[in-house]
């Protein structure tokens, strides 16, 4: 198995395990067992999205990730998701650079990428700027 396929396999495993826990906590029917195919992943993601408000409302419902320094340490779904986003970006080398040349709406040039929140954050005023907005600001200033 390639390293990239192994990463996806671990992600899918954690997602399906979390879905099982969430279904149990919410009193829902168990998921259909079987493969870890694209269809199984799609069903899992669709179910979690459909039940997201209920899932987030369950106190103590956590994902137990297998790719962490403190293996087995439970994480909230949001923290888990952001961690996976960071890992997957690293796999495809798609992480935005640290600092942006763009000027924030406050006038300062202090936008830095914060992977934990998935936005550029202004060091002067704390404004959050998406990647798309940041690219637009750079293009506007260049033009």
């Amino acid at each position: 198995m390639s390293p990239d396929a192994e990463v996806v396999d671990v992600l899918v495993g954690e997602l399906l395990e979390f879905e099982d826990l969430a279904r149990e906590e919410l009193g829902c029917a168990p998921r259909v067992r079987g493969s870890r195919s694209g269809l199984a992943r799609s069903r899992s993601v669709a179910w979690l999205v459909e039940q997201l408000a209920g899932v987030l409302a369950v106190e103590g419902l956590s994902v137990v990730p297998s790719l962490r320094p403190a293996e087995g340490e439970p994480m909230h779904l949001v923290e888990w998701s952001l961690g996976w986003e960071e890992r997957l970006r690293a796999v495809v080398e798609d992480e935005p650079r640290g600092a942006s040349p763009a000027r924030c709406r406050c006038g300062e040039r202090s936008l830095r990428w914060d992977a934990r929140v998935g936005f550029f954050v202004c060091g002067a005023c704390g404004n959050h700027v998406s990647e798309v907005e940041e690219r637009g600001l750079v293009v506007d200033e260049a033009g």
Side-chain angles (χ1 to χ4, degrees):
M1 182 181 297
S2 77
D4 293 347
E6 187 174 336
V7 168
V8 171
D9 188 57
V10 170
L11 169 62
V12 170
E14 290 179 11
L15 181 69
L16 295 176
E17 285 176 25
F18 179 76
E19 180 188 357
D20 290 341
L21 290 171
R23 284 177 175 273
E24 185 176 316
E25 286 291 323
L26 295 173
C28 296
R31 72 178 164 85
V32 176
R33 298 287 181 193
S35 72
R36 290 164 68 141
S37 66
L39 181 59
R41 288 189 305 269
S42 296
R43 284 182 178 157
S44 183
V45 169
W47 185 86
L48 286 168
V49 168
E50 184 69 30
Q51 302 295 325
L52 189 58
V55 167
L56 292 175
V58 175
E59 198 165 317
L61 183 59
S62 300
V63 180
V64 180
S66 54
L67 287 178
R68 274 188 56 92
E71 196 163 323
E73 179 183 320
M75 301 172 76
H76 188 272
L77 178 62
V78 174
E79 181 186 15
W80 177 84
S81 300
L82 291 173
W84 267 107
E85 178 188 20
E86 192 173 313
R87 279 190 285 262
L88 293 173
R89 282 181 181 270
V91 167
V92 297
E93 299 174 356
D94 188 32
E95 189 66 32
R97 70 229 161 273
S100 170
R103 192 179 298 274
C104 177
R105 68 177 178 215
C106 73
E108 296 294 320
R109 291 188 191 276
S110 58
L111 293 175
R112 298 200 57 76
W113 178 253
D114 186 338
R116 291 172 303 165
V117 296
F119 284 91
F120 285 92
V121 179
C122 179
C125 71
N127 181 38
H128 287 60
V129 177
S130 71
E131 290 179 66
V132 172
E133 185 181 359
E134 183 269 345
R135 286 288 87 207
L137 292 170
V138 170
V139 169
D140 288 348
E141 288 182 32

